[in-house]
Amino acid sequence: MLFDFGLVFRQIPKILKYLPVTLEIAVAAMAFSLILGFLVALIKIKRVRVLTPLAGFYVSFTRGTPILVQLYATYYGIPFFLQFCNAKLGTDWNVNGVPPIVFALVALALNDAAYSSEAIRAAIVAVDRGQVEAAHSIGMTTWQTLRRVVIPEALVIALPSLGNAFIGMIKGTSLVFVCAVVDMTAAGRMLAARNFRYFEMYVSLAIIYWVITLVVARLLVVWERRLRRDARGVKGLAPTEGGTRDELDDSTARLTQKV
Amino acid sequence: MNSMIRLRGLRKRFDHIEVLKGIDLDVAEGEVLGVIGASGSGKSTLLRCLDFLEVPDAGEITLDGRAVDAAHATKADVRYLRRHTAMVFQLFHLFTYKTALENVMEGLVTVQKLDKVTAEAVSRDLLDRVGLGDRVDHFPSQLSGGQQQRVAIARSLALNPKVMLLDEPTSALDPESIAGVLAVIRDVAAEGRTMVIVSHEMNFISDIADQVVFLNDGEILERGTPAQVLGAPATERARQFLARANLTLSRAA
Ligand SMILES: Nc1ncnc2c1ncn2[C@@H]1O[C@H](COP(=O)(O)OP(=O)(O)OP(=O)(O)O)[C@@H](O)[C@H]1O
Ligand SMILES: [Mg+2]
């Protein structure tokens, strides 16, 4: 048989056993990436001395090098770094004891944060200055304003790009085999090595990744709609009905009576 | 009467233009001060300096007995000023993804650390008072400009500020909504709250203000009762400004 259609679907459950690994890496790396990206964005916005040029260098360097090179560099670089520390600082780290997944997480997070930081920075800057001032004027601190006003609004603005970044992250996990991590793709290659059905295997993998990204994209749309709270109806009232002239006159009339 | 706000030598410059050239000003407790002046004369800057939304370069701000050296204000000074003043903006600046109720509750919960139940009860009362008792669950995008401004006033009132600062609270509103907002401001003034209002509504200023100052090019040129400043201004600049303002008023009418 030239191409085994049945096999494409029969082997999917076998690969799916490794789906948790793929998702864990993607979610954990994304979480680290968001934290780092947020810090880099804040450094750039606040123009923190010394750190701003460093952040600029990091972003430029990371965006200017291929992810595959970064994965290899991390894979060989971290043990090298540990060895260096052991020699110079007298630490006693086990150079060979680093779990492979750590390399993958570090590389993916560092790579993605370089992109996310720009999206996060742009979103924070896009939040209406007036609302920040309003928050300050009622006595909220910088941190409270950030947490209660800026981040909820910036999230809505950044969500489409961060969502794309997450989808990119899921696809990026297919490269972690270079760090000796066995994700879906790595598992698939090993399975295919047994029967030499590589083409069928990659078709199966493609289908799985495609379905995952479809589902994630769908969830993101739902999430975005939830975040845009004001676009949803309010207690049986259609959103557009809110500020009509009738209602305005109505409530103004009531007010003038009252006061 | 007790002095609520006392400004001495307040200065502010942006790049090369001096916007406030040493302002001395006293506002008594419970007094309503109207601030008038041409566009660019520094009215907004004056108000914003009181709230430290703009950092003054020099001078002294005394709010209810506590003096703040503008040039060397500490974090605690800024917190004090902001906690006890509240700004109402021309463009409302309500929090987009919070309902009217949540907008009003925000300061009570985050700043005053009130529990949610009490904060909600207080906020519902305030929204009732500004005539929006039936709009508590609406988001800003579902409210008219006038309604948004009334929510903004309720949000400021929630913190029970010693002074309310209002920067052209009605100039972004259509004529129908203005009456409602002015009625709310009148109501707040009537309960004896100290207010500083920047406005181009001369009739309203003359009606509500106890004292009026005319700001020109970063300096106070006139001060006195509305009858004095609006009715019989001493300076030529003020006369010109008022003539023009009255012209636009009568044209609008
Ligand atoms: N952030 C800023 N940076 C630079 N210049 C500013 C800034 N804010 C205000 N200015 C300048 O300061 C001057 C006074 O501005 P301000 O907003 O206080 O005037 P205003 O009296 O409130 O005018 P309007 O009636 O138009 O609101 C103006 O010349 C303005 O261009
Ligand atoms: Mg102004």
Side-chain angles (χ1 to χ4, degrees), chain B residues 88-171:
Chain B
V88 174
F89 302 86
Q90 185 176 1
L91 295 174
F92 336 129
H93 298 320
L94 291 181
F95 306 129
T96 313
Y97 298 123
K98 297 189 197 297
T99 62
L101 183 66
E102 289 164 345
N103 262 279
V104 181
M105 283 172 65
E106 187 61 33
L108 293 172
V109 174
T110 334
V111 181
Q112 294 198 338
K113 311 281 183 209
L114 232 57
D115 67 281
K116 283 245 165 75
V117 180
T118 319
E120 181 173 336
V122 173
S123 304
R124 280 183 187 277
D125 275 354
L126 280 166
L127 284 169
D128 240 353
R129 221 183 109 188
V130 299
L132 293 172
D134 55 347
R135 294 286 187 282
V136 288
D137 291 323
H138 284 56
F139 287 92
S141 61
Q142 300 160 334
L143 296 169
S144 73
Q147 292 170 335
Q148 287 185 58
Q149 192 61 299
R150 275 140 61 190
V151 175
I153 293 173
R155 176 177 66 181
S156 304
L157 276 176
L159 285 122
N160 194 20
K162 294 177 194 294
V163 180
M164 268 184 75
L165 308 166
L166 301 101
D167 191 0
E168 303 194 33
T170 58
S171 55

Side-chain angles (χ1 to χ4, degrees), chain B residues 14-15 17 19 37-46 54 90 167-168 198 200 215:
Chain B
F14 289 113
D15 303 323
I17 50 164
V19 180
S39 177
S41 56
K43 306 180 297 292
S44 298
T45 309
L46 174 63
E54 220 66 82
Q90 185 176 1
D167 191 0
E168 303 194 33
V198 172
H200 289 294
L215 210 59

Side-chain angles (χ1 to χ4, degrees), chain A residues 128-142 144-145 147-149 152-154 156-157 227-235 237-256 258-259, chain B residues 48 51 53 79 82-83 85-87 89 92-99 102-103 106-107 109-111 113 128-132 134-135 137-144 146-147 150 155-156 159 174 176-177 179-181 183-184 187:
Chain A
D128 173 25
R129 269 304 298 168
Q131 287 178 47
V132 173
E133 295 190 340
H136 286 160
S137 115
I138 56 174
M140 288 167 73
T141 62
T142 308
Q144 288 171 336
T145 306
R147 199 167 49 84
R148 305 276 310 175
V149 178
E153 289 185 39
V156 175
I157 302 170
L227 286 179
R228 286 185 193 276
R229 303 175 62 201
D230 66 330
R232 286 176 289 157
V234 178
K235 295 205 171 151
L237 181 102
T240 44
E241 245 174 77
T244 63
R245 189 47 55 85
D246 280 354
E247 276 193 302
L248 167 70
D249 286 348
D250 181 48
S251 68
T252 308
R254 206 173 309 127
L255 178 91
T256 335
K258 214 173 121 44
V259 183
Chain B
R48 293 165 57 81
D51 213 4
L53 291 180
R79 202 178 319 129
R82 285 185 177 164
R83 264 198 179 199
T85 61
M87 179 87 81
F89 302 86
F92 336 129
H93 298 320
L94 291 181
F95 306 129
T96 313
Y97 298 123
K98 297 189 197 297
T99 62
E102 289 164 345
N103 262 279
E106 187 61 33
V109 174
T110 334
V111 181
K113 311 281 183 209
D128 240 353
R129 221 183 109 188
V130 299
L132 293 172
D134 55 347
R135 294 286 187 282
D137 291 323
H138 284 56
F139 287 92
S141 61
Q142 300 160 334
L143 296 169
S144 73
Q147 292 170 335
R150 275 140 61 190
R155 176 177 66 181
S156 304
L159 285 122
D174 54 291
E176 287 106 301
S177 327
V181 171
V184 168
D187 177 49

Side-chain angles (χ1 to χ4, degrees), chain A residues 78-93 95:
Chain A
I78 291 184
F80 186 83
F81 176 73
L82 293 183
Q83 225 162 12
F84 179 82
C85 290
N86 286 350
K88 293 281 170 195
L89 306 171
T91 49
D92 189 24
W93 281 318
V95 172

